Amino acid sequence: MTEISMVVNGKSVKADVADNTLLVDYIRESLRLTGTHVGCDTSQCGACVVHVDGKAVKSCTMLAASAQGSDVTTIEGLANGDLHPMQAAFKENHGLQCGFCTPGMIMSATDMVARYNASGKELTEEAIRDELEGNICRCTGYHNIVKAIADGASKMTNA
Amino acid sequence: MSELKYHKASNASEAASMISGTEDGKFLAGGQTLLPTMKAKLAAPSDLVDVSGASDMIGISISGNTVSIGAMTTHADVAGNPELNAVCPSICALAGNIGDPAVRHRGTIGGSVANNDPAADYPAALLALGATITTNNRDISADDFFVGMFETALEDGEIITKVSFDAPEKGAYAKFPNPASRYAMVGVFAAKSSGGARVAVTGAGSDGVFRQSDMEAALDGSWSPDSVSDVSVSADNLLSDIHGDAAYRANLVKVMAARAVANA
Ligand SMILES: Cc1cc2nc3c(=O)[nH]c(=O)nc-3n(C[C@H](O)[C@H](O)[C@H](O)COP(=O)(O)OP(=O)(O)OC[C@H]3O[C@@H](n4cnc5c(N)ncnc54)[C@H](O)[C@@H]3O)c2cc1C
Ligand code: FES
Ligand code: FES
């Protein structure tokens, strides 16, 4: 067992976990934050994306112990009373059907917007599609997800 | 995933001593290959020594046109480094096309090189750039380092600390990604330096990454896409799988090499 402590959605948490515990299992099973999903468990689908120290990572492909001391944000940590602008954009643009991929899509979306804003690059439609390489949706056909991210990006920038 | 003991190393020498005390320990870098492999029960190390935070193994330094990249530098940090992009844009572009953004945030150059996946991108770059791989014990030239499919010159418990190379006069990487996995079906890195042209091919060889010496000779004669297109590429010793047979890959080697030379 290893003792870990980190900040998740602004709250300090601490636990003794088995050394082979994946970050996603710690988040879902111990913290009971079940918004982070497991789609493939083989590092392909992106349903499990969370932010670790401000960067999007696949939480099924990281040990909880490796996140020791980190600042973690999950989908539950985005809304602040009202929906986060990216969540609102997914709702308004029909960026989801079953919703299974949506938490990962939104965590990848807010990460890409932050990176493109920081580097001053333009988040074009082509760039959004390229950035979604690691997020798989089996329902929507992606068009409305791309629309939602473009809309969410402008909402975030003007918020 | 089977049970294991986790250790976190704060520097390379601590990592080396931690692993020497284990039964069947492995280094854990970004985990983007090792953890999926363990989940698939293709590996079951007794211990993991996490080197992703080893402070002396992270970061990029450039002096003149000599580049040195710490083994635990992530793909995202290589892709987004403006100083590196100024001296060697081809390596930044290569790193920015590995996998997807989340993989690039965790995956490292050291992990990729140590793994030597026959379809990985960095091995082609390091071989074409004539890079040196530095470990806790020694310097190994890329020509000696990449031994075969998933095989390297690393000894048990030996740890890669950095890779270094001189930026070429010209260089580019062209990759034909598998449409599903994004790994290279074929990737070719072509580089031109004072010592001559070097061309390295990934994704195609049944023994992993290799140099295409006929193309190197042709480029030494004249550095142009046509020079490599005129070289005949044999399908012997190339991979055949459900994604493409050896003859298809042999043709892709030519096409990717011509694109790399054109973009360099
Ligand atoms: C969805 C997905 C897509 C991908 N697409 C691509 C792609 O297009 N192109 C590509 O090249 N790669 C791709 N990869 C692989 C990715 O680049 C990995 O990051 C890389 O292969 C391994 O690096 P790592 O830091 O994650 O290493 P790990 O997975 O942590 O380790 C890999 C191996 O190297 C050993 N090791 C790690 N560090 C050291 C060290 N310093 N010294 C000695 N041994 C060490 C480990 O013990 C292990 O055996 C992809 C991965 C995923 C999950
Ligand atoms: S569950 Fe992590 S990538 Fe699919
Ligand atoms: S909305 Fe169903 S998987 Fe994307």
Side-chain angles (χ1 to χ4, degrees):
Chain A
M1 302 290 273
T2 292
E3 188 181 275
I4 54 169
S5 58
M6 61 188 86
V7 174
V8 178
N9 299 334
K11 242 175 64 189
S12 296
V13 294
K14 205 177 194 178
D16 247 342
V17 297
D19 289 16
N20 61 0
T21 306
L22 296 167
L23 180 59
V24 71
D25 291 330
Y26 176 60
I27 290 171
R28 288 179 54 85
E29 308 296 332
S30 302
L31 301 178
R32 292 284 171 195
L33 294 170
T34 54
T36 302
H37 291 167
V38 178
C40 64
D41 204 22
T42 55
S43 317
Q44 316 280 327
C45 77
C48 64
V49 169
V50 302
H51 297 181
V52 175
D53 295 327
K55 290 177 179 159
V57 307
K58 291 174 177 170
S59 61
C60 77
T61 314
M62 179 169 182
L63 292 179
S66 295
Q68 161 62 31
S70 296
D71 195 337
V72 177
T73 306
T74 70
I75 187 72
E76 290 90 344
L78 282 192
N80 175 13
D82 292 328
L83 289 182
H84 181 280
M86 190 58 79
Q87 291 173 311
F90 268 71
K91 186 177 169 207
E92 287 159 23
N93 291 277
H94 303 281
L96 59 146
Q97 287 181 23
C98 79
F100 193 86
C101 68
T102 315
M105 288 287 176
I106 289 180
M107 297 313 285
S108 289
T110 52
D111 172 76
M112 78 176 81
V113 172
R115 275 186 289 113
Y116 274 68
N117 282 349
S119 70
K121 279 189 298 185
E122 193 194 347
L123 189 60
T124 59
E125 181 191 327
E126 196 191 343
I128 294 172
R129 289 181 185 275
D130 191 52
E131 287 284 332
L132 285 180
E133 177 59 47
N135 291 84
I136 293 174
C137 174
R138 53 95 59 234
C139 302
T140 63
Y142 300 98
H143 290 306
N144 286 352
I145 292 177
V146 174
K147 259 176 33 193
I149 294 176
D151 183 29
S154 66
K155 287 188 161 93
M156 278 170 72
T157 314
N158 302 327
Chain B
M1 221 158 62
S2 55
E3 280 182 29
L4 57 90
K5 177 100 196 71
Y6 175 88
H7 315 257
K8 189 160 187 97
S10 53
N11 56 56
S13 70
E14 190 182 35
S17 69
M18 279 172 165
I19 206 133
S20 70
T22 68
E23 192 187 315
D24 178 26
K26 266 187 168 296
F27 296 116
L28 174 68
Q32 301 302 293
T33 294
L34 184 52
L35 293 176
T37 309
M38 289 169 61
K39 288 205 264 176
K41 302 211 176 350
L42 298 171
S46 61
D47 297 67
L48 285 180
V49 175
D50 187 344
V51 285
S52 61
S55 54
D56 54 348
M57 290 166 60
I58 302 172
I60 298 171
S61 70
I62 298 165
S63 111
N65 71 339
T66 302
V67 174
S68 162
I69 304 177
M72 291 303 102
T73 310
T74 62
H75 308 330
D77 285 344
V78 171
N81 187 286
E83 291 81 25
L84 182 57
N85 195 47
V87 296
C88 191
S90 50
I91 194 106
C92 299
L94 176 150
N97 266 315
I98 295 176
D100 58 58
V103 168
R104 295 195 287 273
H105 281 149
R106 296 286 306 156
T108 67
I109 190 167
S112 173
V113 170
N115 195 49
N116 194 18
D117 187 301
D121 299 307
Y122 272 128
L126 297 198
L127 192 56
L129 293 168
T132 300
I133 291 102
T134 302
T135 75
N136 54 327
N137 288 332
R138 56 189 168 138
D139 287 340
I140 311 171
S141 75
D143 285 302
D144 296 332
F145 182 86
F146 298 108
V147 174
M149 197 182 265
F150 295 109
E151 257 183 77
T152 68
L154 288 173
E155 308 272 353
D156 274 353
E158 188 170 11
I159 180 166
I160 303 174
T161 55
K162 65 173 183 182
V163 304
S164 39
F165 55 86
D166 284 342
E169 283 162 35
K170 289 179 174 191
Y173 180 61
K175 169 179 178 178
F176 188 89
N178 178 308
S181 76
R182 297 280 140 180
Y183 272 94
M185 290 279 300
V186 168
V188 177
F189 201 113
K192 182 182 193 220
S193 309
S194 51
R198 287 172 68 110
V199 176
V201 180
T202 189
S206 47
D207 293 323
V209 68
F210 65 93
R211 282 173 68 184
Q212 226 299 346
S213 42
D214 292 343
M215 288 184 174
E216 294 179 354
L219 289 171
D220 282 336
S222 155
W223 178 273
S224 78
D226 287 344
S227 300
V228 290
S229 301
D230 291 344
V231 170
S232 85
V233 176
S234 156
D236 293 351
N237 293 322
L238 297 192
L239 289 167
S240 272
D241 57 24
I242 53 165
H243 307 296
D245 64 15
Y248 177 76
R249 280 193 165 85
N251 189 57
L252 266 185
V253 170
K254 270 203 213 193
V255 177
M256 291 303 113
R259 282 189 196 168
V261 172
N263 292 339

